[in-house]
Amino acid sequence: MKRSTLIAVIFIVLVIILAVFLFLPEQKAGHSPSNGELLTPSSLPEGPTTEGELRIMTWNIRNFPEDDRPQTADLGFSRKTDFQDLEAVLSALHADLLGVEEIRRPSLFRKILSNSLGSDHFKAAFSRRGGRWNQHVGFIWNPDRLKLEGQVEEVGSIALTEYLRPGLAGYFKSRKTEGIDFSLLQVHLRAAPSGYHQRLEQYRAIAEWANSHVAAIGDEDLIVQGDFNTTGPEGGRMEDELAVADRILAQAGLRRIPNLSGCSEYWEGPGQADGVQVPALLDQVYVRGFEEYDESHPLRSWLHCARAECRDLVSRPDAPDVSFWGVSDHCPVSFECRDRDLDPESKGDS
């Protein structure tokens, strides 16, 4: 090949390479283009808690690490969780205690936690069983702030059948002298309006467990949180179900903390997939006793729930919402409590 021809070929190749780079869509590595940045101050709780406060959270992390639903490439949904985004969110939440649901591979999730939080800065426990869909519940806590007393308890009575998910309970104490202590029950109840009547049975099972647990442990402070799937009955409304759930759980002294955001999850809504997601309030927190709840840091939802302010979430092919499509349809929900024991006289000998 003549030298002039070789130079011409090299020049053409360089021009092609340059053109490819110039016209590629601008993206961050490992991320889809987004109609909102993943981590912004308004979509996250404000920094770590102070020494006198604890942040408690609940989050359904959609079928981690892979969803059974078909991929929706045009709208930005890849069936696999974006690990880089999930790690970034877990680090930015600064949770002292985080309850989770839909963890299908707990061992892999521990690696994600280690990458995001550091292997020495978290402890985790997960249910042994995950029901028909292998969706485990669990909790992660900061061992510098909290310690687990005794062993975790898998609450099988909530599952009703082998197809549904058991709860997971633990008793936590603050590392501070005269700090808070409380029990936590993490749950993931039957889904969909068609599951309404089974959820009623699950509410009754929670109330029965709560009464017996408090009597056995001698401490009134109890949190029951997670994905309650409060869709309402078929043909009914979410508010109808919440009213019934409130009445049943009140029999165990449990009261619901209202979510000031107004939603905790988004879904496609009825009709054809069009990229417009509608809000729902599926994740709930109930407490018994727990006077340490800090109303100045009330229950709120974050990420895409905060960005969209619980209005319709528009996610188009040219700008898919990064946390909704890449991490979970649910949003992390948080509240804070004062890290001091306000009911020491209620403790038994246990």
Side-chain angles (χ1 to χ4, degrees):
M1 182 182 292
K2 293 182 179 180
R3 185 180 177 195
S4 60
T5 304
L6 179 60
I7 292 173
V9 169
I10 293 173
F11 177 76
I12 292 170
V13 170
L14 289 174
V15 168
I16 292 172
I17 292 172
L18 180 62
V20 168
F21 278 99
L22 286 174
F23 291 100
L24 275 175
E26 185 179 350
Q27 297 186 38
K28 291 187 291 182
H31 297 255
S32 300
S34 172
N35 64 347
E37 289 295 324
L38 177 69
L39 305 178
T40 60
S42 61
S43 66
L44 291 167
E46 184 179 352
T49 55
T50 64
E51 185 180 348
E53 295 278 316
L54 291 172
R55 179 172 297 147
I56 300 174
M57 305 192 73
T58 181
W59 192 14
N60 179 324
I61 305 176
R62 182 182 52 210
N63 280 316
F64 173 87
E66 189 168 356
D67 206 322
D68 291 330
R69 288 175 289 183
Q71 185 165 313
T72 313
D74 288 345
L75 293 178
F77 174 57
S78 172
R79 292 174 59 225
K80 294 186 177 181
T81 307
D82 187 314
F83 290 176
Q84 183 179 348
D85 284 349
L86 177 56
E87 289 171 6
V89 172
L90 288 168
S91 177
L93 291 176
H94 299 291
D96 295 305
L97 176 58
L98 169 65
V100 292
E101 306 93 49
E102 292 197 16
I103 306 301
R104 302 179 80 173
R105 292 180 59 187
S107 60
L108 179 57
F109 190 65
R110 287 179 184 273
K111 293 181 180 179
I112 297 294
L113 291 167
S114 183
N115 290 342
S116 60
L117 305 179
S119 58
D120 296 330
H121 296 288
F122 79 93
K123 297 286 186 182
F126 299 93
S127 60
R128 290 179 297 103
R129 295 178 295 141
R132 179 180 180 182
W133 297 275
N134 195 36
Q135 296 170 326
H136 300 265
V137 300
F139 28 72
I140 301 98
W141 66 98
N142 179 351
D144 297 330
R145 309 291 302 277
L146 290 167
K147 56 183 176 180
L148 176 71
E149 291 285 295
Q151 301 296 314
V152 297
E153 175 190 356
E154 188 165 291
V155 185
S157 59
I158 296 170
L160 304 180
T161 74
E162 62 182 3
Y163 295 107
L164 300 181
R165 297 152 291 243
L168 190 69
Y171 184 52
F172 291 90
K173 284 190 175 183
S174 170
R175 292 285 182 183
K176 285 181 57 179
T177 302
E178 299 183 353
I180 194 172
D181 49 1
F182 59 93
S183 298
L184 170 68
L185 173 63
Q186 192 72 27
V187 302
H188 186 185
L189 304 187
R190 175 74 162 84
S194 60
Y196 172 72
H197 292 290
Q198 280 190 303
R199 285 197 298 278
L200 296 188
E201 292 183 56
Q202 290 181 301
Y203 297 143
R204 297 185 187 101
I206 290 172
E208 184 176 341
W209 175 87
N211 280 327
S212 62
H213 175 80
V214 167
I217 207 164
D219 187 344
E220 285 286 321
D221 289 338
L222 169 64
I223 304 168
V224 180
Q225 65 175 16
D227 184 357
F228 280 64
N229 271 310
T230 44
T231 59
E234 292 183 281
R237 304 175 306 150
M238 173 198 69
E239 292 81 4
D240 301 331
E241 178 168 346
L242 284 177
V244 176
D246 289 351
R247 286 198 299 272
I248 294 173
L249 295 176
Q251 297 171 12
L254 288 159
R255 65 187 187 280
R256 178 165 48 89
I257 300 178
N259 187 325
L260 299 188
S261 304
C263 75
S264 67
E265 187 262 0
Y266 277 87
W267 66 297
E268 185 63 46
Q272 202 169 16
D274 57 3
V276 179
Q277 315 298 322
V278 296
L281 182 59
L282 303 185
D283 305 88
Q284 310 295 343
V285 176
Y286 285 81
V287 296
R288 172 170 172 163
F290 211 74
E291 298 304 319
E292 295 85 355
Y293 173 63
D294 185 356
E295 294 186 355
S296 67
H297 295 91
L299 194 69
R300 288 188 57 188
S301 303
W302 303 101
L303 293 183
H304 42 281
C305 292
R307 283 198 300 273
E309 297 180 335
C310 286
R311 298 191 289 263
D312 285 355
L313 177 68
V314 180
S315 186
R316 300 299 188 189
D318 60 339
D321 186 273
V322 66
S323 59
F324 175 85
W325 290 114
V327 182
S328 181
D329 50 337
H330 289 252
C331 302
V333 176
S334 79
F335 64 97
E336 294 185 15
C337 61
R338 294 178 288 275
D339 189 10
R340 64 179 185 271
D341 192 4
L342 298 182
D343 59 334
E345 71 282 354
S346 71
K347 307 296 186 295
D349 296 330
S350 57

